[in-house]
Amino acid sequence: MWLPEELLVHLMENCVEDRNPAYLVADRDDRLEGYGGDCALYGLGPLKERAPILDQAPFLTGLLPLKQSPLVLPCVQIDEGMHADVHIVRQAGRHFVLLLSLTDEELRQRHLYEEANESTILYEKHARIMDQYLGKELVQALGEGRIQLLESGERRQVSILFADIRGFTSFSETNPPEVVFATLNRYLDAMIPPLLEESAVMDKIMGDAVMGVFGILTLSVSPPHQAVVAGMKILSAVNDLNRQLEQEGRPVLSVGIGISSGPVAVGILGSTAPKSFSVVGHHVNLAARLQEKAESLEILVDENTFREVVAFQQGFRERTATLKGLADEVRVYAYRMAAGA
Amino acid sequence: MREAQRKKICILGAAAVGKTSLMAGYSGQAVSGDYASTLGVRITRAVVPVRGRLRELIVWDIKGESAFYRIPPEYLLGAHGCVYVADGTRRGTLERALDIRARMREIIGDIPELMLVNKLDLRDIWEVDEDQLSSLNSMGLAVHAVSAHGGLALHTAMEGLARAMWGVT
């Protein structure tokens, strides 16, 4: 060995001995030739020399004789024993099995991955619940005759709201995945309930953005009014969330919202379940463009929407904006909520 | 019990499809409603009757794959059988299971296998439809709809796999 003895001793003391080493040796006939360390820690034992090793360490079933040596199996738990990295070495027909417990850092890393993983599953569940909600509401409303939608599509006067988490892409690139998904879920939790409360038909979650369509489920309230109220509720919920995140010492983000109102083509897509609701038209694109233009904690609406929300007009400021895909400047109206308000 | 009476099976699938719960249910252990993810691989034993004789399965319950985790191929070495698990309420998990299967077959070759589609008790909200399952069956992959909360289907499926592993028709 080319390493100086001092380093070998250091390695033994700091990389092996503190990992609760235990070992088994199998002879050429796969009988237990010897063992050492705290084997019981890893769910092994009582052990008996000269008895078949597979009866005493059945986890080696299928592995002996080893076809590739050495073999390292990471993070193995035998029954209820401690997690271990298992190293198996074959030499001159004998097998040496070394078990080393995971370091605290390895365990911490693995738990972090678990958290990220669980957040991903929560995210998927969230999206699924939304889809189910949409399906259930639509089916119910259709069944009761409250609304009628032609599967071939029809034109409707609706309001479309896009809400997007600002700066999320760069945030996701500079933070660990478990932080990214946990944060995303908390913001979506703040953004989705206001939409449902105001009777939006939810479209799918698109990464860090959500889309709601007003004027499909309830016709008693004007869609622009519902959309603007939902937008204000979202800003308020995000403000509350940000205060909470600041107190927890976690990163804080913001949202921007765009709303457009007008005629769109509405229909049901898909020939078998699950069918999906679909909205197509200029005002869908316009709402998305307004959302892109909206600043942090701002709702940007088009003229159609502004005209219909007389009760809120005083809170909006008029300005002009150049929107992607439109040649001319358009008149837009902005509602801003102060951070922490 | 000698090795001839003992064989290794690997349980594979996406994260949180219920692999550990299914195996607990199969072994007659209480199935917890709380989700606790598996770290790495957990190796347990289960007994299965094959033609009236008890055989032992060494069950490698392998942590589910996700965007953040790929199954180490070393876990598969020496496996005599494979169980792929999907969650019927999450269509993507079936696709993930099939993707894992394609990769694993390159490592372990053509060994006895089956596909369990879990959450039979939530059939009303399944995203996986009968046509998909039938097409897998017709491709030669035995597919069973099962639930960790009891039912004969899981035992029947596992016993069928065990028979194939021990070469008993």
Side-chain angles (χ1 to χ4, degrees):
Chain A
M1 170 53 73
W2 54 270
L3 278 177
E5 193 181 333
E6 290 81 356
L7 283 179
L8 288 174
V9 170
H10 163 78
L11 283 175
M12 272 302 294
E13 286 175 353
N14 295 287
C15 302
V16 177
E17 283 176 10
D18 63 351
R19 293 183 62 187
N20 307 295
Y23 72 90
L24 308 169
V25 184
D27 67 14
R28 291 163 185 272
D29 299 321
D30 290 341
R31 291 178 181 277
L32 186 64
E33 184 180 305
Y35 60 92
D38 193 353
C39 292
L41 201 63
Y42 301 105
L44 298 170
L47 298 167
K48 190 177 166 191
E49 288 182 2
R50 290 185 293 283
I53 194 165
L54 293 179
D55 286 349
Q56 307 182 74
F59 76 95
L60 295 170
T61 300
L63 294 174
L64 306 185
L66 209 58
K67 291 185 179 63
Q68 62 177 67
S69 178
L71 174 65
V72 181
L73 301 165
C75 198
V76 175
Q77 185 186 26
I78 301 163
D79 291 324
E80 299 298 325
M82 187 181 271
H83 287 87
D85 290 334
V86 178
H87 300 246
I88 311 175
V89 179
R90 186 182 189 194
Q91 247 181 24
R94 296 157 75 213
H95 288 94
F96 297 80
V97 182
L98 172 66
L99 296 104
L100 295 173
S101 64
L102 268 59
T103 63
D104 291 344
E105 177 57 21
E106 281 173 320
L107 274 174
R108 196 185 70 81
Q109 286 291 336
R110 285 182 180 273
H111 282 298
L112 281 178
Y113 276 117
E114 288 321 304
E115 280 180 28
N117 200 24
E118 282 162 28
S119 292
T120 311
I121 293 160
L122 183 66
Y123 176 83
E124 289 173 1
K125 193 174 167 185
H126 216 142
R128 204 165 54 249
I129 288 168
M130 266 182 45
D131 286 349
Q132 284 163 10
Y133 182 91
L134 163 66
K136 189 179 155 196
E137 272 294 297
L138 268 185
V139 169
Q140 203 175 333
L142 286 163
E144 292 168 2
R146 281 192 283 124
I147 61 165
Q148 289 185 326
L149 280 180
L150 299 175
E151 295 213 358
S152 53
E154 63 180 274
R155 194 157 292 277
R156 286 232 174 189
Q157 287 287 336
V158 300
S159 291
I160 296 127
L161 179 152
F162 275 93
D164 172 81
I165 304 172
R166 287 289 181 265
F168 193 76
T169 305
S170 58
F171 174 78
S172 65
E173 285 165 358
T174 52
N175 283 278
E178 67 275 8
V179 174
V180 171
F181 276 92
T183 306
L184 179 57
N185 277 313
R186 290 186 75 173
Y187 276 92
L188 290 177
D189 270 340
M191 290 157 71
I192 291 169
L195 292 168
L196 298 180
E197 281 164 21
E198 295 306 314
S199 301
V201 167
M202 298 292 302
D203 207 306
K204 288 177 174 55
I205 299 173
M206 297 153 289
D208 54 357
V210 292
M211 172 185 165
V213 185
F214 301 83
I216 302 294
L217 291 178
T218 311
L219 301 175
S220 56
V221 184
S222 91
H225 183 94
Q226 288 176 316
V228 167
V229 170
M232 288 174 169
K233 283 182 173 179
I234 289 173
L235 294 188
S236 179
V238 166
N239 249 340
D240 289 346
L241 172 62
N242 283 351
R243 269 195 295 274
Q244 210 175 323
L245 290 171
E246 275 173 3
Q247 281 170 9
E248 294 169 15
R250 293 175 192 275
V252 166
L253 296 167
S254 183
V255 293
I257 295 171
I259 300 172
S260 175
S261 303
V264 294
V266 178
I268 304 290
L269 293 179
S271 55
T272 57
K275 292 184 177 186
S276 68
F277 172 74
S278 191
V279 189
V280 184
H282 165 72
H283 289 280
V284 180
N285 299 333
L286 183 56
R289 299 288 172 249
L290 287 166
Q291 172 264 117
E292 286 168 9
K293 210 75 184 176
E295 292 175 16
S296 175
L297 290 177
E298 185 175 71
I299 304 170
L300 215 53
V301 306
D302 65 352
E303 196 149 14
N304 284 353
T305 307
F306 179 74
R307 272 204 309 268
E308 291 288 323
V309 291
V310 179
F312 301 113
Q313 281 179 349
Q314 276 195 329
F316 281 82
R317 284 191 176 179
E318 184 183 327
R319 67 172 190 249
T320 54
T322 308
L323 302 179
K324 197 172 153 188
L326 297 179
D328 300 326
E329 281 194 329
V330 291
R331 193 174 297 149
V332 298
Y333 301 85
Y335 173 88
R336 297 230 27 203
M337 184 171 280
Chain B
M1 207 174 264
R2 296 291 177 267
E3 187 179 10
Q5 292 165 286
R6 180 189 291 127
K7 289 185 186 283
K8 168 179 175 177
I9 61 165
C10 292
I11 317 297
L12 303 155
V17 293
K19 296 179 291 299
T20 302
S21 293
L22 277 179
M23 286 305 108
Y26 176 67
S27 308
Q29 298 163 20
V31 176
S32 163
D34 297 331
Y35 171 63
S37 57
T38 305
L39 288 182
V41 57
R42 183 169 172 228
I43 305 173
T44 55
R45 294 192 264 184
V47 172
V48 61
V50 179
R51 279 246 177 121
R53 293 184 63 189
L54 288 182
R55 309 284 189 176
E56 192 174 37
L57 295 172
I58 305 302
V59 181
W60 286 51
D61 175 15
I62 296 169
K63 172 181 164 63
E65 276 205 353
S66 67
F68 313 106
Y69 180 76
R70 296 270 277 193
I71 295 165
E74 295 82 11
Y75 285 164
L76 276 291
L77 295 178
H80 302 102
C82 262
V83 177
Y84 301 98
V85 183
D87 175 348
T89 67
R90 291 156 61 205
R91 192 202 314 253
T93 64
L94 180 62
E95 287 150 17
R96 173 79 76 165
L98 292 172
D99 175 55
I100 294 170
R101 176 180 177 249
R103 280 185 281 121
M104 296 307 148
R105 281 168 71 90
E106 287 180 14
I107 300 163
I108 50 177
D110 188 13
I111 62 171
E113 59 178 6
L114 61 82
M115 169 79 74
L116 299 178
V117 184
N118 194 16
K119 312 275 175 81
L120 183 60
D121 47 318
L122 300 175
R123 190 88 192 219
D124 289 352
I125 56 166
W126 268 31
E127 292 179 353
V128 173
D129 60 44
E130 287 296 339
D131 291 347
Q132 284 174 295
L133 302 187
S134 303
S135 69
L136 291 176
N137 265 319
S138 62
M139 283 162 52
L141 175 61
V143 183
H144 301 262
V146 295
S147 165
H149 299 283
L152 274 177
L154 178 57
H155 286 83
T156 307
M158 293 299 286
E159 286 171 22
L161 177 67
R163 281 198 298 277
M165 286 166 67
W166 268 276
V168 177
T169 53

